[in-house]
Amino acid sequence: MDILTRRKFLIASGVVGAGALAAGAAAYTLTDLLATGNEQGPGGRTLVLVTLYGGNDGLNTVVPYADPAYHDARPEIAYSAEEVKRLDDSVGLNPAMGGLHGLFGQGRLAIVRGVGYPKPDRSHFRSMDIWQTASPDRPGNTGWIGRWLDGAGGDPRLAVSFESALPPLLAGVHGAGASVPVAGRAMRGGLPDRTLAAFAADSPDESPAQARAAACFADLRSVDQMIAQVRDAAEEPVDGTDPERPAATSTGGARTSLEAQLDLVAQCVEARVATRVFSVSLGGFDSHADEKQLQAVLLGQVDRALSGFAARMSRTEAGREVVVAVYSEFGRRVRANASEGTDHGTASNVFLLGAGVRGGLYGEQPSLTDLDDGDLKFTVDFRDVYATLLDRVLGADPGQVLADWPGRRDDLFDRV
Amino acid sequence: MASPDAIAHLLRRATFGPTADEVDAAVRAGFDATLDRLLEPVGTDPGASASPTPKLGPDPYSTIGKSASREQRQEANKRRTEQVRQLQQWWLERMVTAEHQLTEKLVFFWHGHWATSVQKVKSAPLMLGQLDTLRRYGRGGFDALVAAMVRDPAMILWLDGEKNTRKAPNENLARELMELFTLGIGHYTEPDVKAGAKALTGWAVDRATGVARLEPKRHDTDPKTILGRTDTFDADSYARLLAAQPQAAEFVRNRLWARFAGTDTPPTGGSGSVGAGPDITAMLRAVLTDPAFARSRGQLVKQPVEWAVGAMRQLGIRPSALSEQQRKQVQSGLSGMDQVLLRPPSVGGWPAGTAWLTTSSLQARMRLADLLATAAGPVAGQRLGAAPEAGRVDALARLLVVDRWTERTRAALAPLAAKPDRLIAAGLVSPEYTVS
């Protein structure tokens, strides 16, 4: 992107940092300033959240290969010490995760083990809600990123999902992030822009649902402008069509490939769009039978997508300010079922990589013998990780988003 | 005496989308007679007879042996995909043509409730079988529906029921049965899930015949304690136990309320206020006659299928009369709005409410609105075209059975009055039409 385009783009997208002010760029409003000004904290970074829908089996992802209890509990689906990509002399990564294993070796991948929360819920939906709302105690209807967005001014461009349905993660009290389809740019059919603009106007006499439907027109126009500029700037447009559609999934997750989603994230980051949080996902981890091979295929997709993304991000200044966090709603039961699968379980791993992330193993590996009715006991509360991400990546006060949750895992990041 | 607006509201919710003529006829008949006709239609449905259930034939995979070549398997896959497409197109056609609209809408409601996807079931005949089950049991006693569904072949395959054996139970079906289909979270425990899984052990599906049967050797006959009751539960008695829970009636009532009334919470005043007993038609009648239902106007975001089917009914479009290309566009439009028949995104069903109102679904809606406006039948065009330009925005409201436009939308629509197809497309994506 040449400088002129960049300048125009920054103005259009409402990014108005100190540099733009000094350069005399004038086409922004007070609202723009408020919307983007208060979250330029010490770590003005971008967060990419990767959701693995369906309950990824954590024990076959970060494999406790040296623990005899692991092999006893799931003889048919266990990985041997020879198969795993060793991380140390007790755990190793799934054989399909060669790329991430390399990043771990370079000190760039942090793996937090035993992540969960008290009184775990084994329902996919309730559990995913808990992770996305960060509210284990009672059902919430706002996501933790949505609440961050409320505090950051509510511009939907700040938090973008490449899923076509909006994940609860991005729903705030006052508004919500934007969902942008990976394939193609905005299509408005034969309707002129003035019709769209007219639909975007408020009307005093309508229901909240109708008001939301009208607001979609405004969101679409602003997001469309942002994405259109990213695509215009890209040398090669993204082809959003995915040649190999992921396997059937009964528990949600995006249907376009993780690689295609991360490719668009990379383009947006490189164009320095206003977006501070990207939400991408991969579904299909809901395997209850013949699990080993399917999980390896999916983890291979995750591995390829993430290591490619990490390599691309390391090549630009903007990319080096990106942090990726990978999670799933829960892990699986320690013991396998009769159909060479596992049932819903509890604690699992969170992966972090990117700007300032200090590689290594964190959290205690949960015991495979001291169990809670057959399930792992968590050792790290996921809200500790969120609080750290809010603070160190988004430069925001975690207290307002996480109901004054006191925990932190500051050791995950380099000192400022 | 119910107002014409109240009757239009009832029809918008209890059908996929009424035509102006249907509203006129219902206003003449009155609210009560209209409700009776919706809930308990008499006689055969000529619209349904005009869109008979497709004869899919057997699952192509069941006719090839285990030693089939790669080419044979590819061919079977192709034919299977074709069967699914045929079934999806037929169902859409049925929704548009059926005159017993509430019957069809209930089948669609239950499809979203039991949320079974052909992506994993991989069989159009089994999915059609499930739709038949939903049609047959979907408006009577809830106990019969639950009992039929735990033995439904597509359901068993969808939630790994056929992998559920005495030796090591698979909990998937038992868990979702209690959580998502009958009781809701908080009304059962983890031990109930484990015991429920044992009650459902031993079922297997014969793909060749499309029949589910119990293999006694794989069934756990030991006594199990579920929800505080100890018995040698099997699939039937477990289903009866669930349906008889007071929470089951409340749960289903709440789901009906959410989908037909659309407000977050059913009216207060105790769970009895929205009907009592686990009879589905009675519960639905209670929902549709509740005073809070009348006040729910403008609060229900239409699901994409409801939006598209309603528009086709009002615009006089028969899906089967569209060109192959247009049918594909309808399919990809629904896919872009994230609602493809027979493919719910998860066992939790489709999202609801403002979750449908995203920037990306708006784009898909605009594309599909374009197509529908272009394909609109001659009657729709005549009705708009017959009105003088100044009256076309109001004529559009009548055509689409919208009570009234806001000033905002009126201002958006007025400049398009000279181009009826643009006007229709804009009306279809307007906030007033997106929300019912």
Side-chain angles (χ1 to χ4, degrees):
Chain A
M1 191 187 287
D2 63 51
I3 291 172
L4 187 64
T5 317
R6 167 76 59 81
R7 168 77 55 82
K8 269 162 51 191
F9 177 70
L10 287 172
I11 294 166
S13 64
V15 179
V16 281
L21 277 173
Y28 50 81
T29 65
L30 182 61
T31 315
D32 292 330
L33 272 175
L34 291 173
T36 55
N38 63 353
E39 26 87 23
Q40 303 287 348
R45 292 169 167 163
T46 303
L47 178 62
V48 180
L49 283 171
V50 181
T51 305
L52 308 180
Y53 284 95
N56 176 38
D57 179 6
L59 287 177
N60 271 6
T61 304
V62 181
V63 182
Y65 68 87
D67 189 339
Y70 165 72
H71 298 278
D72 290 348
R74 38 171 74 185
E76 303 293 331
I77 59 167
Y79 286 101
S80 69
E82 291 70 39
E83 289 173 286
V84 300
K85 306 269 181 196
R86 292 188 189 210
L87 299 172
D88 65 10
D89 54 13
S90 63
V91 294
L93 282 178
N94 186 290
M97 304 178 81
L100 290 177
H101 185 250
L103 290 173
F104 185 87
Q106 297 161 28
R108 294 167 65 193
L109 173 67
I111 301 173
V112 193
R113 282 109 35 107
V115 186
Y117 54 90
K119 288 191 240 155
D121 197 298
R122 292 162 187 81
S123 142
H124 285 294
F125 306 98
R126 183 71 194 106
S127 192
M128 192 46 93
D129 272 356
I130 286 170
W131 275 84
Q132 297 208 356
T133 61
S135 170
D137 310 320
R138 57 200 159 80
N141 50 17
T142 57
W144 68 284
I145 294 298
R147 294 195 296 276
W148 165 79
L149 185 64
D150 283 338
D155 185 332
R157 291 169 296 181
L158 289 176
V160 168
S161 161
F162 291 121
E163 301 176 63
S164 45
L166 193 76
L169 179 70
L170 298 189
V173 178
H174 305 298
S179 62
V180 177
V182 173
R185 50 190 291 183
M187 300 273 279
R188 57 192 45 160
L191 296 181
D193 190 61
R194 68 185 152 84
T195 306
L196 270 53
F199 274 139
D202 287 335
S203 195
D205 50 347
E206 67 189 344
S207 72
Q210 287 172 333
R212 179 67 220 145
C216 276
F217 285 91
D219 288 354
L220 180 64
R221 293 178 79 230
S222 61
V223 172
D224 179 34
Q225 198 171 24
M226 179 172 101
I227 296 298
Q229 304 221 24
V230 171
R231 287 181 185 279
D232 289 347
E235 285 180 1
E236 287 178 356
V238 181
D239 179 10
T241 52
D242 174 21
E244 54 177 308
R245 271 169 91 91
T249 160
S250 68
T251 41
R255 282 173 295 175
T256 38
S257 82
L258 188 57
E259 249 170 330
Q261 296 172 69
L262 286 176
D263 193 28
L264 193 51
V265 171
Q267 286 186 50
C268 288
V269 167
E270 286 158 6
R272 293 180 176 276
V273 302
T275 307
R276 299 291 307 281
V277 181
F278 292 95
S279 166
V280 298
S281 71
L282 180 65
F285 288 89
D286 188 23
S287 49
H288 288 260
D290 308 322
E291 186 170 297
K292 191 172 177 177
Q293 199 189 355
L294 175 61
Q295 192 204 18
V297 169
L298 293 169
L299 288 179
Q301 289 177 18
V302 172
D303 186 76
R304 269 196 309 282
L306 284 183
S307 38
F309 182 72
R312 180 166 170 183
M313 287 297 93
S314 67
R315 290 196 286 268
T316 60
E317 197 186 323
R320 286 190 289 273
E321 293 299 324
V322 172
V323 173
V324 182
V326 187
Y327 73 100
S328 189
E329 66 263 43
F330 43 58
R332 294 308 185 96
R333 194 75 44 83
V334 176
R335 186 162 294 282
N337 62 27
S339 28
E340 298 185 17
T342 50
D343 284 300
H344 298 181
T346 53
S348 189
N349 321 286
V350 168
F351 286 22
L352 294 179
L353 64 146
V357 170
R358 202 186 310 187
L361 292 169
Y362 294 85
E364 220 180 299
Q365 181 74 27
S367 165
L368 299 184
T369 48
D370 175 22
L371 298 173
D372 172 11
D373 195 18
D375 276 322
L376 301 175
K377 293 178 176 171
F378 80 104
T379 60
V380 176
D381 193 297
F382 73 101
R383 288 165 290 184
D384 291 3
V385 179
Y386 285 2
T388 312
L389 292 173
L390 284 162
D391 179 23
R392 301 299 296 272
V393 183
L394 298 175
D397 172 14
Q400 291 177 0
V401 173
L402 299 174
D404 291 322
W405 181 256
R408 293 282 189 285
R409 289 300 304 224
D410 286 326
D411 52 343
L412 285 165
F413 284 85
D414 292 331
R415 268 166 237 236
V416 182
Chain B
M1 187 67 197
S3 70
D5 275 2
I7 291 171
H9 173 56
L10 171 68
L11 285 175
R12 274 192 299 264
R13 296 296 180 78
T15 77
F16 281 101
T19 64
D21 292 345
E22 284 168 348
V23 175
D24 290 346
V27 168
R28 283 194 298 275
F31 188 96
D32 294 343
T34 300
L35 183 66
D36 289 343
R37 191 180 51 77
L38 286 164
L39 285 169
E40 290 171 64
V42 283
T44 54
D45 179 341
S49 308
S51 53
T53 312
K55 300 213 176 347
L56 296 170
D59 177 348
Y61 252 80
S62 69
T63 57
I64 59 174
K66 278 199 168 153
S67 55
S69 67
R70 193 160 156 271
E71 287 71 24
Q72 284 172 311
R73 286 201 304 274
Q74 277 175 342
E75 177 59 25
N77 253 332
K78 222 175 93 188
R79 281 164 49 212
R80 186 184 261 173
T81 307
E82 177 53 32
Q83 282 187 345
V84 172
R85 200 189 54 84
Q86 192 187 348
L87 183 59
Q88 286 165 327
Q89 294 201 348
W90 162 75
W91 195 8
L92 210 57
E93 177 82 0
R94 168 62 67 88
M95 289 175 178
V96 173
T97 56
E99 289 180 19
H100 297 175
Q101 276 279 298
L102 186 51
T103 304
E104 292 306 316
K105 204 161 178 186
L106 267 175
V107 174
F108 180 58
F109 165 80
W110 286 121
H111 173 54
H113 181 92
W114 298 92
T116 302
S117 172
V118 72
Q119 248 192 309
K120 181 167 168 184
V121 175
K122 290 193 164 73
S123 161
L126 292 188
M127 294 303 292
L128 179 58
Q130 188 179 86
L131 294 182
D132 284 344
T133 300
L134 297 178
R135 190 169 274 112
R136 186 171 317 142
Y137 297 100
R139 52 192 312 153
F142 187 53
D143 51 348
L145 177 61
V146 178
M149 287 306 284
V150 296
R151 308 166 65 147
D152 176 74
M155 174 56 64
I156 289 172
L157 291 172
W158 173 229
L159 293 178
D160 302 304
E162 90 288 5
K163 305 272 172 86
N164 188 3
T165 65
R166 185 167 52 85
K167 277 190 180 161
N170 188 307
E171 295 168 9
N172 207 13
L173 178 53
R175 179 186 307 280
E176 309 302 17
L177 183 62
M178 291 196 281
E179 175 187 339
L180 299 171
F181 306 149
T182 62
L183 301 179
I185 280 180
H187 301 298
Y188 59 91
T189 63
E190 277 300 305
D192 290 330
V193 171
K194 289 178 181 169
K198 289 178 184 167
L200 297 177
T201 48
W203 284 87
V205 176
D206 183 342
R207 279 185 174 273
T209 57
V211 171
R213 61 171 194 285
L214 185 70
E215 291 182 5
K217 272 196 233 160
R218 296 179 10 155
H219 178 66
D220 187 331
T221 53
D222 291 344
K224 312 143 185 97
T225 302
I226 310 176
L227 301 168
R229 285 267 310 277
T230 305
D231 206 338
T232 51
F233 285 107
D234 61 9
D236 273 356
S237 51
Y238 176 40
R240 278 199 304 275
L241 175 75
L242 292 177
Q245 300 295 308
Q247 290 89 356
E250 192 184 332
F251 184 72
V252 174
R253 215 158 33 222
N254 288 349
R255 291 292 290 256
L256 286 167
W257 183 265
R259 285 285 299 278
F260 286 87
T263 56
D264 284 346
T265 38
T268 51
S271 58
S273 74
V274 194
D279 178 82
I280 296 155
T281 298
M283 281 196 266
L284 191 54
R285 179 182 286 274
V287 166
L288 298 174
T289 52
D290 194 283
F293 172 77
R295 292 192 301 269
S296 71
R297 223 181 293 170
Q299 316 233 20
L300 183 81
V301 181
K302 290 178 187 172
Q303 298 197 37
V305 165
E306 294 169 353
W307 175 87
V309 171
M312 288 193 268
R313 298 190 82 242
Q314 290 158 348
L315 298 175
I317 298 170
R318 285 277 298 260
S320 61
L322 295 174
S323 70
E324 186 57 36
Q325 170 72 6
Q326 286 173 318
R327 272 182 290 187
K328 274 189 189 152
Q329 286 173 321
V330 169
Q331 208 50 242
S332 69
L334 289 172
S335 172
M337 287 187 278
D338 244 21
Q339 188 166 52
V340 177
L341 291 174
L342 309 181
R343 278 177 177 248
S346 81
V347 64
W350 282 285
T354 51
W356 290 116
L357 302 178
T358 67
T359 45
S360 78
S361 67
L362 174 57
Q363 293 172 58
R365 198 176 299 125
M366 287 195 290
R367 282 197 297 274
L368 189 48
D370 245 18
L371 170 84
L372 296 175
T374 310
V379 174
Q382 278 161 19
R383 285 196 174 168
L384 276 193
E389 261 187 51
R392 281 190 194 156
V393 171
D394 290 316
L396 180 69
R398 180 171 156 75
L399 183 70
L400 300 180
V401 191
V402 168
D403 291 340
R404 59 193 64 81
W405 304 116
T406 58
E407 285 311 308
R408 176 262 330 281
T409 295
R410 201 168 267 288
L413 297 176
L416 301 171
K419 301 177 191 149
D421 60 330
R422 298 302 81 199
L423 185 62
I424 290 173
L428 293 177
V429 299
S430 69
E432 288 86 336
Y433 192 76
T434 305
V435 173
S436 117

